[in-house]
Amino acid sequence: MAGNNLANDSKQTDISFLTDISFKTDHSAGTIVSFDVHSPSSRTSSLSTDVSFLGAGEFSADDQLSQEVPEVLFEPSVFSTPHKSTHDWTTDSWRELSSGDNEHDSELPEHSPNSEDGLRLYLDISEENTNDSEDLQPTPGEKRTIAAHSGQRGRWKKRCMDRTSDSLVEILNSHCCQNDCIKSLSLNDLENSFNGVKDLNENELKQFALGQIWTCCEAAWDENSPKPNITYRFVICGKIICEKAFCRCYDISTKVFKDCVDSFVVGKRNILHGNRGTTRTREKTTTALTWMRYTFQQIGDHMPHKQEIHLPVSQTKTSLYERMRSELIDQNVTDVVTKEYFMELWNRHFPEVKIGKRSEFTVCGICQSLKEKEEKATSQQERDECYQLKQEHFNHVQTEREQYHLARHRASTEPKEVTTMIVDGMDQSKTDLPHFAQSDKDTKHLAKITTHITGVLLHTRSPHNKYAYVYTDVKQIPHDSNLTIHCILATLMKHRDILGRELFLQLDNCFRENKNRYVLSFCALLVDLQIFQKVTVHFLPVGHTHEDVDQMFSCVAKALQKRNIYTYEDLRSFVKASYTPAIDVEEVRYLLDVKEWLKPHLAGNFAHHSKPLWFEFTPGDNHAAMRYKMWHNDPWKPEGDALFCLKSLPSLHHCPLWVEPCLERVDLPWLQKDIPSKYGDRIPPAKKEELRMFVDAIGNLDELPVPVSSWALLELVTWEIRHQEEEPTQDLEPLRARIQAECRPVTIGSQGRIQHDAVQEADYSSIEVGHHAAVNLIDSTKRPYLGKVLACDGDQVTIAWMKGSWSGEWKEWLCKRGKNMVPYTTTVPLQSVILWGFPLTGRNRLPKKVAVDLKERYSKIDEDDELNE
């Protein structure tokens, strides 16, 4: 028969909408099974069939049925008893059918949850203690498991699981209102209504309820009531129900429904979660991102030709994660992100940070050696030692980078104290003229004008906390210390009115252009000429020298990458607009030979100066003193007497001569041959003539200009900075008085009172250095005139003047002389001193008694002058 094989293995029965099932087996009369089917509407139907026949069909609980049981799959041992037995099952729970557990699931007919035949139930009859000789005698009323195949797996599976057949019956039998409108619904109505919302999450279910309220409800306002009268007319399958029935059908809690009603009353149509649009990042994620951003900034190199940051090739993502983990644990941070999440954060937040297989620039020898040794290590101990040495080296490099960043910060916050400058050169191949966004074989081999760029960033207080400069040449001048000194001097001249007292100079670690005796001696000369009180020169380690000036070069290269640049003016305009702040582009045609100008005054040959990374120049006894050190945390050397770069000062009025241009490096004949004739249509006609004129101008660079009578260094020394005190925008005197206020003496009666003696006149011989003195001058409008006695020589006295008023605070009067703020002093006749030896109060004010006495003295002098007139 069909289905015999299935009957031997299956333990599930497919029945529709049956809540109470009882069947009887009477094997003495034949294998006939009688089923009593009880539907929710209390209709009873009897079905009988031969167990050996497995029919196919479906039935509805709403119909009187008498037919073959559709696809009933029973365990044969249940019916092998020789006597009559009765088994009653009441469905008490539902469970989801496990997919793949039953090899005969594919044989079951497909079922749609929204079809009219209802929800498929699977009656699970388990085989326990049965064999051919024993009977399976279930206890009447024994509970069996009914599995419900809801087709929904996910976060809201529990809501579907709670909808058992018993719960559906319980809902239909519950009392909702006076009309018992819920009893008008069928199991089909309940199931269909719930299927429409079972996939909704909590917020979506609230939105559904609010939409139904707006659609099916009306609100009437009463003047005597603060709340409206709401009429609920919800509709399910064409049947009108009350609000309680609505909540039960859609499994909406009373609180949720009340919240939706409140939203309806105030006119809200949309349910918005309080945290919508906001994201909360876990603390350990924020810590990891902060560490990564800081570390990448410290050890990474900004590529000058593309928007990428390259980390040292000796690093790996795993080693960086281990480094972060160890550093955070040392800081007592125990909750650290996993390695997998660290990689995800890297890819998501720092896609521009890369570790290449090889560096596109000069690599650090220490990093490369340690990487090779770590790869060849044969023991874990040896690998750990290499790792520790790498971390020590990277800590040194990171500390050195931090010092430059600290100098930049100081320059922007304390511009009168520090001026920070960085100088570096750009790869000239990116700015050759003419430049095409897309090269071709016809023009690729033709001559191009090699344009070299030297970039300078000067950090000080400004809208962008820096100024950007680019100095260009066509390689007609040597790229040596003369070019570096020219760029430094030209930039200082542009900002000579805002220079600080100290200069922090960040240079590339290149001996030809920067790290040589001429540049170091020039820095000493800046101190000797009192342009700066201190000059600090800092070099980053080789292979770790890329800084913010290289980031500027990267912006320039990116701006030129997709554009055709034909002439120098085009290059100038594009370079200027490629960076923020806008770059000031200046063409360098000739250089002054500062090297030859300084050479006769050098103290001697320099040796072993290529190793230190720090040089400091400060005023000495006769000339500027130089000290050096390797790392920032090292002490300055030499510990005793300092070194002197100059043995004498060159005359500023004897200006350097011009450096002879070398057009051989330019290859002018080749340029004149190819540009612009051989470029054909790649260059517009209007640009060809301009480009030809530029090539002709290069040919005239061999004609030196006349010797100069004045140059930038002389102008910088003779420049008088007129420092004007800024007008205070707020009156801070009351707050200063409160902060500096002294505690008044506590008195009890006459106890504790301070007796002030009157100021006595004395002869001038009692005047001592350090006394406060009041002076009478011709201008009587700015009285009183107070100061401190610095020296007393016969009938002359030197006064260091003070600023103040009769009732205000008195402080030292400073004036600008060169780069220094010094006390304002003058020498006056001894007879002009009218009062001295008096103290000021704790708040540096005139005591009342002294002020009264001084006013009387000034008045007496004025009266005597009137009588004399």
Side-chain angles (χ1 to χ4, degrees):
M1 293 182 187
N4 281 343
N5 294 332
L6 298 178
N8 293 333
D9 297 323
S10 177
K11 298 181 182 181
Q12 294 186 338
T13 301
D14 185 4
I15 305 176
S16 301
F17 282 160
L18 304 184
T19 56
D20 291 335
I21 308 170
S22 63
F23 66 89
K24 302 178 180 179
T25 59
D26 190 355
H27 290 277
S28 62
T31 55
I32 301 298
V33 181
S34 176
F35 286 82
D36 288 335
V37 181
H38 304 279
S39 70
S41 57
S42 300
R43 298 175 181 176
T44 304
S45 301
S46 298
L47 303 100
S48 63
T49 183
D50 192 331
V51 175
S52 62
F53 174 77
L54 297 178
E58 298 184 38
F59 59 90
S60 172
D62 294 332
D63 300 329
Q64 295 289 341
L65 303 177
S66 179
Q67 60 180 21
E68 296 177 349
V69 178
E71 209 162 314
V72 182
L73 306 179
F74 288 116
E75 180 69 27
S77 59
V78 175
F79 308 100
S80 62
T81 54
H83 59 276
K84 179 183 284 187
S85 62
T86 301
H87 308 285
D88 294 330
W89 288 276
T90 301
T91 58
D92 59 345
S93 61
W94 296 39
R95 61 179 176 84
E96 186 178 19
L97 179 63
S98 301
S99 60
D101 291 344
N102 194 333
E103 63 181 7
H104 305 296
D105 286 350
S106 59
E107 301 289 343
L108 300 177
E110 295 184 357
H111 171 79
S112 173
N114 296 323
S115 61
E116 295 298 330
D117 58 350
L119 183 66
R120 173 177 297 146
L121 305 181
Y122 295 92
L123 181 60
D124 186 5
I125 305 176
S126 60
E127 179 181 1
E128 298 179 3
N129 301 323
T130 60
N131 48 44
D132 294 340
S133 59
E134 294 182 352
D135 298 336
L136 178 64
Q137 187 72 23
T139 304
E142 180 182 0
K143 303 296 183 180
R144 296 300 187 188
T145 302
I146 303 295
H149 181 51
S150 65
Q152 173 69 15
R153 297 178 182 272
R155 57 183 297 186
W156 297 106
K157 184 171 63 176
K158 185 177 183 301
R159 285 179 52 202
C160 301
M161 300 288 292
D162 291 341
R163 282 282 170 134
T164 64
S165 58
D166 286 343
S167 65
L168 296 177
V169 175
E170 184 180 351
I171 292 174
L172 291 178
N173 292 330
S174 64
H175 175 73
C176 60
C177 60
Q178 295 179 353
N179 299 326
D180 272 344
C181 55
I182 198 171
K183 297 186 182 301
S184 65
L185 302 176
S186 65
L187 282 176
N188 225 14
D189 297 336
L190 284 180
E191 194 61 41
N192 289 337
S193 64
F194 183 72
N195 285 339
V197 299
K198 67 180 180 180
D199 294 333
L200 303 182
N201 59 31
E202 183 179 358
N203 211 46
E204 293 170 344
L205 185 62
K206 288 182 179 180
Q207 184 64 52
F208 168 78
L210 181 59
Q212 290 294 315
I213 293 174
W214 274 97
T215 304
C216 305
C217 301
E218 297 179 357
W221 292 88
D222 188 357
E223 298 180 353
N224 299 326
S225 176
K227 296 183 178 180
N229 295 322
I230 302 177
T231 303
Y232 301 101
R233 294 177 60 85
F234 295 104
V235 178
I236 293 181
C237 297
K239 304 170 185 177
I240 299 177
I241 59 174
C242 63
E243 66 274 16
K244 289 185 178 180
F246 172 79
C247 292
R248 293 174 185 173
C249 290
Y250 288 107
D251 196 17
I252 299 174
S253 65
T254 305
K255 181 180 182 305
V256 170
F257 184 79
K258 183 178 180 303
D259 293 341
C260 293
V261 172
D262 293 341
S263 300
F264 168 73
V265 170
V266 298
K268 293 174 61 176
R269 291 182 177 270
N270 296 304
I271 299 295
L272 298 178
H273 195 278
N275 294 327
R276 183 176 181 179
T278 63
T279 57
R280 291 188 178 93
T281 306
R282 291 177 296 177
E283 184 178 355
K284 62 179 180 181
T285 302
T286 305
T287 303
L289 289 174
T290 303
W291 185 93
M292 295 168 72
R293 184 174 292 107
Y294 177 77
T295 303
F296 294 161
Q297 186 68 25
Q298 295 301 315
I299 69 174
D301 295 330
H302 292 271
M303 295 295 102
H305 61 298
K306 52 187 174 182
Q307 293 287 343
E308 290 183 358
I309 299 176
H310 283 196
L311 302 182
V313 293
S314 58
Q315 290 289 329
T316 63
K317 290 187 176 182
T318 301
S319 65
L320 286 172
Y321 172 74
E322 294 298 334
R323 176 181 174 182
M324 180 193 74
R325 181 179 176 83
S326 61
E327 290 184 3
L328 294 181
I329 291 177
D330 291 342
Q331 299 171 11
N332 296 326
V333 179
T334 56
D335 193 10
V336 184
V337 297
T338 62
K339 179 181 176 181
E340 292 74 15
Y341 194 54
F342 175 83
M343 304 301 179
E344 182 181 342
L345 292 177
W346 189 321
N347 297 331
R348 186 192 309 168
H349 296 276
F350 306 100
E352 74 283 0
V353 179
K354 303 183 182 301
I355 304 176
K357 294 183 179 179
R358 65 179 186 87
S359 176
E360 300 184 20
F361 300 94
T362 305
V363 298
C364 174
I366 298 177
C367 293
Q368 189 63 24
S369 299
L370 287 173
K371 181 180 180 181
E372 293 175 357
K373 290 186 179 298
E374 188 175 11
E375 292 173 350
K376 298 177 182 179
T378 58
S379 64
Q380 185 62 37
Q381 180 180 359
E382 191 175 354
R383 284 190 290 269
D384 292 341
E385 291 178 359
C386 292
Y387 176 78
Q388 291 175 1
L389 288 175
K390 276 200 305 184
Q391 296 308 312
E392 183 180 352
H393 175 63
F394 284 130
N395 289 337
H396 280 310
V397 174
Q398 184 171 337
T399 303
E400 297 306 309
R401 288 188 183 275
E402 289 175 356
Q403 298 312 306
Y404 170 61
H405 287 254
L406 177 61
R408 283 166 39 184
H409 177 72
R410 286 190 61 201
S412 60
T413 56
E414 303 174 9
K416 295 181 181 179
E417 295 296 327
V418 182
T419 298
T420 301
M421 183 189 302
I422 183 171
V423 184
D424 200 1
M426 180 181 176
D427 182 13
Q428 62 267 22
S429 63
K430 304 296 184 300
T431 54
D432 293 347
L433 296 176
H435 169 80
F436 300 109
Q438 181 62 52
S439 61
D440 60 89
K441 291 184 178 181
D442 295 336
T443 61
K444 188 175 182 180
H445 65 281
L446 297 180
K448 289 181 172 60
I449 304 172
T450 303
T451 308
H452 179 262
I453 283 181
T454 302
V456 179
L457 289 179
L458 185 136
H459 296 272
T460 186
R461 180 174 293 172
S462 66
H464 299 283
N465 289 330
K466 59 187 172 184
Y467 294 94
Y469 297 94
V470 158
Y471 299 92
T472 66
D473 63 85
V474 292
K475 297 188 71 174
Q476 85 281 8
I477 55 177
H479 298 159
D480 57 5
S481 52
N482 280 329
L483 178 59
T484 302
I485 293 173
H486 172 84
C487 296
I488 294 173
L489 265 181
T491 306
L492 292 178
M493 277 298 296
K494 297 177 189 295
H495 300 278
R496 55 187 179 270
D497 54 341
I498 60 171
L499 298 178
R501 296 180 177 87
E502 301 178 11
L503 174 64
F504 188 96
L505 195 58
Q506 182 75 36
L507 299 176
D508 192 20
N509 211 332
C510 173
F511 69 91
R512 184 185 71 252
E513 299 176 3
N514 304 321
K515 207 171 190 179
N516 52 59
R517 56 179 178 168
Y518 299 107
V519 173
L520 297 178
S521 298
F522 177 75
C523 294
L525 184 61
L526 294 178
V527 176
D528 279 333
L529 298 177
Q530 298 183 359
I531 298 175
F532 295 101
Q533 294 180 3
K534 183 172 76 172
V535 175
T536 303
V537 184
H538 182 224
F539 302 91
L540 288 173
V542 176
H544 303 279
T545 57
H546 292 275
E547 267 299 341
D548 53 351
V549 67
D550 297 284
Q551 190 176 12
M552 179 181 72
F553 293 153
S554 177
C555 295
V556 172
K558 185 178 180 180
L560 304 181
Q561 187 176 9
K562 299 182 180 180
R563 293 181 174 88
N564 293 334
I565 312 296
Y566 304 109
T567 65
Y568 177 77
E569 290 302 322
D570 294 341
L571 177 65
R572 185 189 187 104
S573 60
F574 279 120
V575 169
K576 180 179 181 179
S578 64
Y579 190 65
T580 302
I583 301 175
D584 186 355
V585 184
E586 178 183 318
E587 183 183 2
V588 181
R589 291 177 172 267
Y590 304 99
L591 282 179
L592 291 174
D593 197 352
V594 182
K595 290 169 56 177
E596 293 297 326
W597 181 73
L598 279 174
K599 187 177 291 185
H601 305 278
L602 298 181
N605 293 327
F606 285 41
H608 310 297
H609 60 285
S610 61
K611 296 298 181 182
L613 301 178
W614 289 84
F615 294 90
E616 183 185 67
F617 301 89
T618 54
D621 296 335
N622 297 320
H623 300 289
M626 185 187 80
R627 288 181 172 83
Y628 63 91
K629 60 182 178 180
M630 184 63 191
W631 304 105
H632 167 69
N633 296 326
D634 295 342
W636 288 105
K637 299 178 181 179
E639 298 178 358
D641 296 335
L643 304 176
F644 299 97
C645 299
L646 300 173
K647 62 182 179 181
S648 61
L649 294 181
S651 175
L652 297 179
H653 298 282
H654 178 64
C655 300
L657 301 177
W658 295 108
V659 176
E660 190 75 24
C662 182
L663 298 183
E664 294 179 359
R665 291 190 293 265
V666 181
D667 202 350
L668 187 61
W670 190 26
L671 293 178
Q672 293 173 341
K673 177 183 176 182
D674 291 355
I675 298 177
S677 58
K678 291 191 177 182
Y679 280 88
D681 297 336
R682 292 300 306 266
I683 301 178
K687 299 293 183 181
K688 286 184 178 180
E689 184 61 27
E690 187 177 349
L691 193 57
R692 184 182 294 108
M693 293 176 59
F694 184 69
V695 173
D696 294 340
I698 295 175
N700 298 328
L701 291 178
D702 57 350
E703 300 176 3
L704 291 176
V706 297
V708 294
S709 58
S710 179
W711 61 305
L713 188 59
L714 178 60
E715 296 177 11
L716 196 62
V717 172
T718 57
W719 176 261
E720 182 181 355
I721 302 177
R722 295 174 176 84
H723 176 71
Q724 298 180 355
E725 294 187 2
E726 298 180 357
E727 291 289 336
T729 57
Q730 303 181 74
D731 184 14
L732 300 179
E733 289 301 325
L735 288 176
R736 182 179 289 108
R738 291 176 59 187
I739 294 173
Q740 299 176 353
E742 294 183 351
C743 177
R744 299 185 64 179
V746 178
T747 61
I748 302 177
S750 61
Q751 304 176 61
R753 294 185 179 274
I754 301 176
Q755 303 296 330
H756 295 280
D757 297 332
V759 179
Q760 301 292 332
E761 295 186 18
D763 57 359
Y764 291 116
S765 61
S766 61
I767 296 179
E768 298 179 1
V769 175
H771 277 177
H772 290 96
V775 183
N776 178 44
L777 300 179
I778 297 176
D779 187 5
S780 61
T781 59
K782 297 182 180 180
R783 290 175 177 170
Y785 296 98
L786 262 63
K788 279 189 177 182
V789 178
L790 294 183
C792 188
D793 186 12
D795 57 351
Q796 300 287 331
V797 61
T798 303
I799 301 293
W801 296 104
M802 302 177 70
K803 287 183 178 181
S805 61
W806 288 107
S807 59
E809 180 185 3
W810 287 87
K811 58 184 178 179
E812 188 178 14
W813 191 346
L814 300 177
C815 63
K816 188 79 172 181
R817 290 185 183 176
K819 293 294 294 182
N820 302 323
M821 300 294 294
V822 298
Y824 179 34
T825 62
T826 57
T827 302
V828 298
L830 186 62
Q831 291 77 10
S832 62
V833 180
I834 60 175
L835 192 63
W836 64 90
F838 54 87
L840 297 179
T841 65
R843 292 186 292 173
N844 290 331
R845 301 175 186 271
L846 278 174
K848 277 188 177 181
K849 206 166 187 179
V850 175
V852 171
D853 186 34
L854 190 54
K855 288 180 181 179
E856 292 178 355
R857 291 173 184 267
Y858 278 126
S859 298
K860 185 177 181 182
I861 292 173
D862 293 339
E863 292 174 0
D864 294 341
D865 291 341
E866 291 177 1
L867 292 176
N868 293 333
E869 291 177 358

